[in-house]
Amino acid sequence: MSTAERLIESAQQLLWERGYVGTSPKAIQQRAGAGQGSMYHHFSGKQDLALQAIRRSAEQLCAESEARFSRPGTAYERIAAYLCREREVLRGCRVGRLAHDPDVAASALLREPLNDTFEWLRGRIEQLLVEGQERGEFGAGLVPVDAAAALVAVVQGGYVLAQAADSTEPFDQAVRGALNLLAAYTTA
């Protein structure tokens, strides 16, 4: 793995563990086994490296989600596969948790990949719900754009509830509740 890749991967992990504010360039360099000169050879500074790491985490999250969304099955089954996928719930969402970081919130540049990721998730779930309606899987009463936003919010809110309780049960309960509500719109 190249030095730049090690730096990005180290930054990804540290941002997930500590957030932007709590991640120092020195900590990134130490975890990557890279010197200060190497970091500044590849990146203009902490913000540049963090942006690359956030984008990488966002790409990985989208790819993991798309793997569930593109499976065979009904729209409900594919959404359920996404909602029920294996997660490190108590660590929080590696993308979503950064939205609470004051330095990320204050930077349009750092917020952009977060917003893009959530927009993509909402849009992709909406596509599945529309597809399900067109196939007759969901009744006409379902509003795909609203339901998609609610499902993304369930996941992100579930992480927060789980972390506050120091238990995965609130997350699991939120997912079960969302699936039960979505099932109420199925026609089968």
Side-chain angles (χ1 to χ4, degrees):
M1 186 184 309
S2 73
T3 301
E5 286 299 313
R6 286 195 325 269
L7 287 163
I8 291 170
E9 188 175 287
S10 296
Q12 282 182 274
Q13 290 303 313
L14 288 166
L15 288 168
W16 194 9
E17 292 168 14
R18 303 177 184 180
Y20 185 86
V21 172
T23 298
S24 69
K26 183 174 183 164
I28 296 168
Q29 294 160 17
Q30 287 176 337
R31 184 167 286 191
Q36 183 177 5
S38 294
M39 181 175 151
Y40 291 102
H41 172 75
H42 296 288
F43 306 97
S44 63
K46 177 182 173 180
Q47 185 179 45
D48 183 33
L49 174 53
L51 180 60
Q52 298 306 314
I54 293 167
R55 285 180 177 156
R56 177 79 52 85
S57 291
E59 290 167 5
Q60 290 169 343
L61 177 66
C62 291
E64 290 167 4
S65 301
E66 184 58 35
R68 273 98 184 146
F69 295 147
S70 60
R71 289 180 174 180
T74 66
Y76 177 90
E77 290 167 343
R78 292 182 285 159
I79 291 168
Y82 160 73
L83 291 174
C84 297
R85 77 171 175 79
E86 190 71 29
R87 291 177 163 84
E88 293 184 61
V89 172
L90 294 179
R91 287 185 75 188
C93 176
R94 62 182 173 231
V95 174
R97 80 178 308 254
L98 293 171
H100 305 286
D101 192 294
D103 285 1
V104 174
S107 169
L109 185 66
L110 294 175
R111 275 194 330 269
E112 183 180 9
L114 308 181
N115 186 56
D116 291 349
T117 299
F118 294 126
E119 285 293 319
W120 179 84
L121 276 170
R122 284 191 299 265
R124 189 63 179 97
I125 293 170
E126 181 184 359
Q127 287 175 343
L128 288 171
L129 294 170
V130 167
E131 178 186 312
Q133 278 184 323
E134 290 171 352
R135 290 182 178 178
E137 298 170 18
F138 297 113
L142 179 70
V143 180
V145 67
D146 294 341
L151 291 170
V152 172
V154 162
V155 171
Q156 292 305 309
Y159 280 124
V160 171
L161 296 173
Q163 289 175 315
D166 194 28
S167 168
T168 60
E169 181 52 31
F171 183 93
D172 297 338
Q173 187 177 32
V175 167
R176 286 191 309 267
L179 289 172
N180 286 333
L181 291 170
L182 188 58
Y185 287 98
T186 59
T187 58

